[in-house]
Amino acid sequence: HIVLEPSWSGYCEPDLLCLMDRPFPLFVQAYEPRDVALLERLDSNLIPVPISANWWIDHRVFRPIDGAVRDADVLFLAAWAAYKRHDGFLHALAALRRRGERLTAILVGYDGDWRRADIERLIRYHGVADQVEIFERVPPSEVNRQLNRVKVNVLWSRREGVNRAIVEGMCAGVPALLREGFNYGYHYPYINDQTGGFASERSLPDRLLEFVRSTRTRDPRAWVLDHMSP
């Protein structure tokens, strides 16, 4: 059998639908309810399976590090790309700074349709250069080390797919903060009071501050391993 693992959201795409003429079943990982409904309506050889690409995270790599010091506030793990919306995140940091709240952030990424120089220009534009560290094209073990330095992991895309960085952070013990309405607005069961939450464009500064200051007991790693491991 062939299993397809799309990493995007929105399956009405030629590179997927062109496989409907195959004379054998194709199992398609589909976690967004809209995508599942589309595949079921096709009544074809494309069979939805209710799991997603971000379930396949190596918890031996992404894990809490004994003795790690949480010496930064926020991690933004994303390709240097417009759809990742670094600008909206940096705008929130700048808004907090004007209120006297100086959060420190770590940006981890690699070339997409932007380059590191584009990100650095955005950082300077928002006036938060002294609050941000940048790491580029680092191995997974280093990504995990940076996750172990922070208190919250932010994903600010409007739409992309089943993002792996969310679960990588949870396995490292870091809650995730996502944009309200991400993809098609489905509230994933693995984003809950134990593992993270959502924010609107307007509420992002306050939600960042809430997560950084939060004293609530959260164990995202335990929840993820209990509920999502194969």
Side-chain angles (χ1 to χ4, degrees), residues 4 8 10-22 26 28 35 38-39 42 44-46:
L4 303 179
W8 67 89
Y11 285 4
C12 192
E13 297 281 353
D15 53 355
L16 179 63
L17 301 183
C18 70
L19 299 170
M20 289 172 59
D21 66 347
R22 300 297 88 189
L26 284 162
V28 185
D35 296 330
L38 170 69
L39 295 177
L42 294 174
S44 71
N45 64 321
L46 302 180

Side-chain angles (χ1 to χ4, degrees), residues 147-222:
L147 281 165
N148 274 265
R149 294 180 57 197
V150 300
K151 306 173 184 73
V152 60
N153 178 25
V154 174
L155 174 68
W156 206 238
S157 313
R158 284 194 176 100
R159 176 174 174 259
E160 52 173 275
V162 283
N163 182 275
R164 283 178 166 82
I166 299 169
V167 183
E168 289 171 352
M170 290 180 187
C171 285
V174 185
L177 185 59
L178 279 68
R179 185 184 182 278
E180 187 76 36
F182 177 66
N183 286 344
Y184 297 110
Y186 176 53
H187 276 206
Y188 304 109
Y190 55 85
I191 306 292
N192 54 54
D193 286 343
Q194 290 179 274
T195 64
F198 296 87
S200 66
E201 302 283 340
R202 179 173 293 183
S203 70
L204 179 58
D206 289 332
R207 291 287 275 164
L208 283 172
L209 205 57
E210 174 193 342
F211 271 67
V212 167
R213 292 178 170 177
S214 178
T215 57
R216 285 181 291 173
T217 300
R218 285 192 178 120
D219 190 355
R221 175 181 164 85

